[in-house]
Amino acid sequence: MSQRCPHSVEINCRDCRMNALCLPIALELDEVDRLNDIVQRGRPLHKDNYVYNCGDEFRSVYAVRSGSIKTYSVNDQGVEQVTGFYLPGEIFGMDGIAHTHHISSAVALETAAICEIPFGRMEELSMTLPSLQRHFFKLMSKEITSDQQLIALLSKNSAEERVATLLLSISARNAKRSLSNVRFRLPMSRADIGNYLGLTVETVSRVFSRFQKQNILAVDKKEIEILDVPGLQQLSNT
Amino acid sequence: MSQRCPHSVEINCRDCRMNALCLPIALELDEVDRLNDIVQRGRPLHKDNYVYNCGDEFRSVYAVRSGSIKTYSVNDQGVEQVTGFYLPGEIFGMDGIAHTHHISSAVALETAAICEIPFGRMEELSMTLPSLQRHFFKLMSKEITSDQQLIALLSKNSAEERVATLLLSISARNAKRSLSNVRFRLPMSRADIGNYLGLTVETVSRVFSRFQKQNILAVDKKEIEILDVPGLQQLSNT
DNA sequence: CGACGCGTTGAATGTTGTCAAACCGAGTGG
DNA sequence: CCACTCGGTTTGACAACATTCAACGCGTCG
């Protein structure tokens, strides 16, 4: 009964296989049910479908149940900046809280199921659930620290170090979800990786090629196998 | 009575000249008093004094009352990354919320007065003051968006664009505090600027020199005069 | 006075970006 | 079935921008 297609709408927070990573992690069972009551689950999104678009009214933050999401913003000159990749169990959309409208866009990199958490109702619930309030403060703080780590990466590290660090990040996040930390499929394109890491597609491609020559990686399109984890950690230099 | 030295300890939120920028902005007068009751004001810090150090137990977030603060983190290799400059009325230290200990350091760039806001008490107060809870969520969200703007800057912009953008940011923040937006003193060193912007000291220095040759800026050590605001905006390219 | 921190400038080097071409697989239509 | 296009990726040659290394100026402080 609780084992369904991961994209299924008919899952609640209590049964969701991501509940050890997602918002419920900080809550008691009865509190999870109260959270579950406000969560909205739409039908799965297909690749390139938007969760929200820059300029949309801000109403909710979102959790990834399955698939993966890319967020990006566009500056005045129309230049896009990918600001994050989100995997199952991760929360996104918190940059909209300070504004009445979204200032970034979120799009599915592949078929994805998303939980929508209406922010106003989450705030109300927080007033009576201290652990939810605290957890949400922590979530936002984590977003800040991960952004600051990306700032340090862009500011101080070479192309190889940036790519190695991203691969290790995805690897670690897969491990948290009980997936392989050495074999996985990158849901995003080379262009997305380059945009996120402040590199051109060509540079990203060259780095992948070099890592293959050094027997650090085996790359087949988007399928990645990390052949030498310590080597990659050394290259990441962080 | 309320007009004292800006570094003075004996100021409350209601009278503080930064209350139109700082936390009180979202609160009613009686709510400001309740906030004021939990705020702790220590004696002024001198240049290079720490507000908190990486590894310290996390207890509070902080507001700048006067002077300026630099935050930075240090990675495993001991490389420092300046993550922000904070001016009067601005809040810092929110990256510690997700952790029990601070993962960055905050240091005074010049003589500075700081308000300490014990986070646990702020959380409690938030449970009864919806506007405070909401405002704090917004503050953290703003920190996220400003970090993401920095990410975009580092990822996509040239040295000249980065320096121009920083100058315009400080200019705009000075204007909010009713100071000149064209003449001001940079509280941080060239090294700090370079570190923050992902550039070497030499590059920062060269950019300042070029801007002077182009009659965009007049620079005398840390004193800056923006001679051509539209020109600088053009150069910032954001 | 000399040492030191900080900032500026110059010359050489190097990593990454730019431009161009080619490849590959998937999908389409003749 | 094959030729075709198209998006995404790879590779090469070259150029550009920022870094590195070095020297020097300037003000402060012991």
Side-chain angles (χ1 to χ4, degrees):
Chain A
M1 181 64 179
S2 68
Q3 279 315 354
R4 295 166 177 280
C5 164
H7 301 314
S8 167
V9 173
E10 303 173 40
I11 280 187
N12 65 52
C13 292
R14 208 191 259 244
D15 299 330
C16 177
R17 64 172 94 172
M18 289 301 145
N19 64 13
L21 290 176
C22 191
L23 271 179
I25 189 174
L27 304 180
E28 303 295 331
L29 274 184
D30 57 326
E31 297 175 332
V32 172
D33 290 337
R34 293 178 63 189
L35 173 66
N36 184 64
D37 288 342
I38 70 169
V39 171
Q40 297 171 8
R41 299 175 186 79
R43 71 176 66 184
L45 298 174
H46 296 121
K47 180 171 158 60
D48 296 331
N49 282 172
Y50 281 88
V51 182
Y52 56 81
N53 224 312
C54 183
D56 287 354
E57 188 184 348
F58 172 77
R59 295 170 185 279
S60 306
V61 296
Y62 302 87
V64 183
R65 196 161 71 253
S66 66
S68 53
I69 297 292
K70 159 182 96 171
T71 56
Y72 67 92
S73 56
V74 184
N75 75 1
D76 307 338
Q77 271 72 46
V79 180
E80 293 188 6
Q81 173 65 47
V82 174
T83 49
F85 302 114
Y86 295 88
L87 304 180
E90 300 176 340
I91 312 280
F92 63 95
M94 293 180 288
D95 56 343
I97 295 171
H99 312 85
T100 56
H101 296 262
H102 282 285
I103 55 163
S104 62
S105 302
V107 64
L109 289 168
E110 59 192 324
T111 302
I114 302 299
C115 296
E116 177 173 353
I117 304 155
F119 189 70
R121 304 200 57 188
M122 204 289 299
E123 279 184 310
E124 286 165 28
L125 196 53
S126 289
M127 302 296 290
T128 62
L129 288 185
S131 48
L132 181 61
Q133 187 198 49
R134 160 144 286 245
H135 189 58
F136 214 83
F137 279 136
K138 283 197 181 190
L139 266 179
M140 296 189 69
S141 172
K142 273 193 190 153
E143 181 76 31
I144 292 172
T145 59
S146 77
D147 283 351
Q148 291 183 349
Q149 281 170 12
L150 181 57
I151 287 168
L153 191 70
L154 296 175
S155 171
K156 301 283 181 293
N157 293 103
S158 68
E160 295 201 350
E161 290 165 341
R162 295 183 208 181
V163 173
T165 302
L166 175 61
L167 290 175
L168 289 170
S169 163
I170 294 174
S171 163
R173 286 146 78 193
N174 280 341
K176 270 197 186 170
R177 288 151 45 223
S178 319
L179 299 175
S180 169
N181 67 324
V182 291
R183 284 185 71 99
F184 46 86
R185 184 171 189 284
L186 295 175
M188 71 296 280
S189 69
R190 301 287 191 268
D192 287 332
I193 294 175
N195 188 306
Y196 178 69
L197 294 176
L199 302 169
T200 58
V201 204
E202 294 93 328
T203 300
V204 174
S205 179
R206 281 185 246 271
V207 171
F208 274 115
S209 300
R210 262 178 272 160
F211 284 178
Q212 282 193 95
K213 284 209 188 73
Q214 301 171 259
N215 286 316
I216 304 282
L217 291 184
V219 181
D220 175 26
K221 299 215 39 144
K222 304 201 162 177
E223 296 291 338
I224 301 288
E225 182 172 2
I226 304 178
L227 302 173
D228 180 1
V229 175
L232 194 61
Q233 286 168 338
Q234 200 125 49
L235 281 167
S236 86
N237 207 22
T238 47
Chain B
M1 181 65 180
S2 70
Q3 278 317 352
R4 294 166 179 280
C5 163
H7 301 313
S8 168
V9 173
E10 303 173 39
I11 279 186
N12 65 52
C13 291
R14 208 190 257 244
D15 299 330
C16 177
R17 64 172 95 173
M18 288 303 144
N19 65 13
L21 290 176
C22 191
L23 270 179
I25 190 173
L27 304 180
E28 303 296 331
L29 273 185
D30 56 327
E31 298 174 333
V32 172
D33 290 337
R34 294 179 62 191
L35 173 66
N36 184 65
D37 288 342
I38 71 168
V39 171
Q40 297 170 7
R41 297 173 188 83
R43 71 178 66 186
L45 298 175
H46 296 120
K47 180 170 158 62
D48 296 333
N49 282 171
Y50 282 88
V51 183
Y52 56 81
N53 224 309
C54 183
D56 287 354
E57 188 185 348
F58 172 78
R59 295 171 185 280
S60 306
V61 296
Y62 301 87
V64 183
R65 195 161 73 253
S66 66
S68 53
I69 296 292
K70 159 182 98 171
T71 55
Y72 67 92
S73 56
V74 184
N75 76 0
D76 306 340
Q77 270 72 46
V79 179
E80 292 187 7
Q81 173 65 47
V82 173
T83 50
F85 301 114
Y86 295 88
L87 303 180
E90 299 176 342
I91 312 279
F92 64 94
M94 293 181 290
D95 55 344
I97 295 170
H99 312 83
T100 55
H101 296 262
H102 282 286
I103 54 163
S104 62
S105 302
V107 64
L109 290 168
E110 58 192 323
T111 302
I114 302 300
C115 296
E116 177 173 352
I117 304 154
F119 189 70
R121 304 199 58 187
M122 204 288 300
E123 279 185 310
E124 287 166 27
L125 195 53
S126 289
M127 301 297 290
T128 62
L129 289 185
S131 47
L132 181 60
Q133 187 198 51
R134 160 145 287 245
H135 189 57
F136 214 84
F137 279 136
K138 283 197 179 188
L139 266 180
M140 296 189 70
S141 173
K142 273 192 189 154
E143 180 74 31
I144 292 172
T145 59
S146 76
D147 283 350
Q148 291 182 349
Q149 282 170 11
L150 181 55
I151 288 168
L153 190 70
L154 295 174
S155 171
K156 301 282 182 294
N157 293 102
S158 68
E160 296 202 350
E161 291 164 341
R162 295 184 208 182
V163 174
T165 302
L166 175 61
L167 290 175
L168 289 170
S169 163
I170 293 173
S171 164
R173 287 147 75 192
N174 280 341
K176 271 197 184 167
R177 289 152 44 223
S178 318
L179 298 176
S180 169
N181 67 324
V182 293
R183 282 185 71 98
F184 47 86
R185 183 172 191 283
L186 295 175
M188 71 295 280
S189 69
R190 301 287 191 270
D192 286 333
I193 294 175
N195 188 305
Y196 178 68
L197 294 176
L199 302 169
T200 58
V201 203
E202 294 94 326
T203 300
V204 174
S205 180
R206 282 185 244 271
V207 171
F208 274 115
S209 301
R210 261 178 273 161
F211 284 177
Q212 281 192 97
K213 284 208 189 73
Q214 300 171 261
N215 286 316
I216 305 282
L217 291 184
V219 181
D220 175 25
K221 299 214 38 145
K222 304 201 162 177
E223 295 292 336
I224 300 288
E225 181 170 3
I226 305 178
L227 302 173
D228 180 1
V229 174
L232 194 61
Q233 286 168 339
Q234 200 125 50
L235 281 166
S236 87
N237 206 24
T238 46

